[in-house]
């Protein structure tokens, strides 16, 4: 909206009223002339009211636009947070499977070591059968945990 024509009009009317006051020289005569501009005063008031209403309408539109943009940003942030959460769960599952795989390898090494000790000291690789059996049980447990991680949903 262009305000320049309104501003120029208001300045001209103000200058006209000041000029009339100087022209008449007497305030009483000027007051009578000023009273004749009552319609101009009402026009100024009406224009001021219209501008105030227009300003409120513009502000309401801006608020609605801001709310839409904020809601869109919050929705995008929620989606990003969900993706991060899913990624963290997947990373934790990978780390768990890696750790369990390492433990299985260690238990397999333990079994081989127990068999070697049995052969070296007692000429029987099953001499430490309780330790071997316990290690195999732990391996089975670790493999079951790996399967649970593989079937878990994020």
């Amino acid at each position: 909206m262009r305000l320049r024509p309104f501003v120029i009009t208001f300045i001209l009317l103000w200058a006209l009223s000041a000029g009339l006051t100087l022209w008449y020289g007497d305030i009483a005569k000027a007051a009578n002339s000023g009273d004749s501009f009552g319609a101009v005063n009402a026009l100024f008031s009406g224009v001021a009211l219209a501008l105030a209403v227009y300003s409120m309408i513009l502000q309401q539109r801006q608020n609605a636009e801001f709310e839409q943009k904020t809601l869109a940003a919050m929705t995008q942030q929620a989606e990003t947070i969900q993706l991060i959460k899913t990624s963290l769960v997947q990373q934790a599952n990978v780390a768990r499977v890696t750790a369990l795989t390492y433990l299985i390898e260690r238990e397999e090494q333990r079994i081989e070591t127990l068999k070697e000790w049995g052969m070296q000291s007692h000429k029987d690789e099953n001499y430490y059968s309780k330790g071997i059996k316990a290690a195999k049980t732990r391996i089975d447990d670790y493999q079951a945990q790996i399967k649970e991680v593989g079937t878990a949903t994020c």
Side-chain angles (χ1 to χ4, degrees):
M1 182 175 179
R2 294 187 164 190
L3 295 178
R4 188 173 183 177
F6 291 115
V7 172
I8 291 173
T9 303
F10 292 140
I11 291 173
L12 288 175
L13 288 174
W14 179 78
L16 178 65
S17 67
L20 285 174
T21 304
L22 293 174
W23 176 266
Y24 284 107
D26 183 17
I27 292 288
K29 290 180 184 177
N32 291 336
S33 296
D35 289 341
S36 67
F37 288 103
V40 174
N41 287 334
L43 178 67
F44 283 143
S45 298
V47 169
L49 178 63
L51 288 175
V53 169
Y54 181 70
S55 172
M56 285 190 277
I57 290 171
L58 284 179
Q59 188 173 13
Q60 186 177 14
R61 287 181 187 166
Q62 287 176 343
N63 287 343
E65 183 180 329
F66 177 75
E67 286 177 11
Q68 288 175 349
K69 288 181 180 180
T70 302
L71 182 61
M74 290 176 66
T75 302
Q76 187 176 11
Q77 286 178 351
E79 291 170 359
T80 302
I81 289 170
Q82 186 60 37
L83 287 173
I84 290 170
K85 180 181 174 185
T86 302
S87 175
L88 288 174
V89 168
Q90 290 173 348
Q91 289 176 8
N93 287 342
V94 168
R96 186 170 183 199
V97 168
T98 302
L100 290 170
T101 303
Y102 176 76
L103 290 172
I104 289 171
E105 291 172 3
R106 295 295 298 168
E107 292 298 332
E108 289 172 347
Q109 289 174 357
R110 182 174 286 133
I111 290 171
E112 290 302 315
T113 302
L114 290 174
K115 286 181 179 180
E116 287 176 15
W117 286 353
M119 285 301 290
Q120 290 173 358
S121 62
H122 302 288
K123 307 288 188 228
D124 182 13
E125 71 176 15
N126 291 322
Y127 184 78
Y128 295 108
S129 62
K130 289 182 182 179
I132 292 170
K133 185 177 178 183
K136 286 182 179 180
T137 302
R138 286 191 294 270
I139 288 173
D140 292 340
D141 183 48
Y142 296 151
Q143 288 173 341
Q145 289 181 37
I146 288 174
K147 287 179 184 176
E148 287 176 14
V149 170
T151 60
T153 58
C154 295

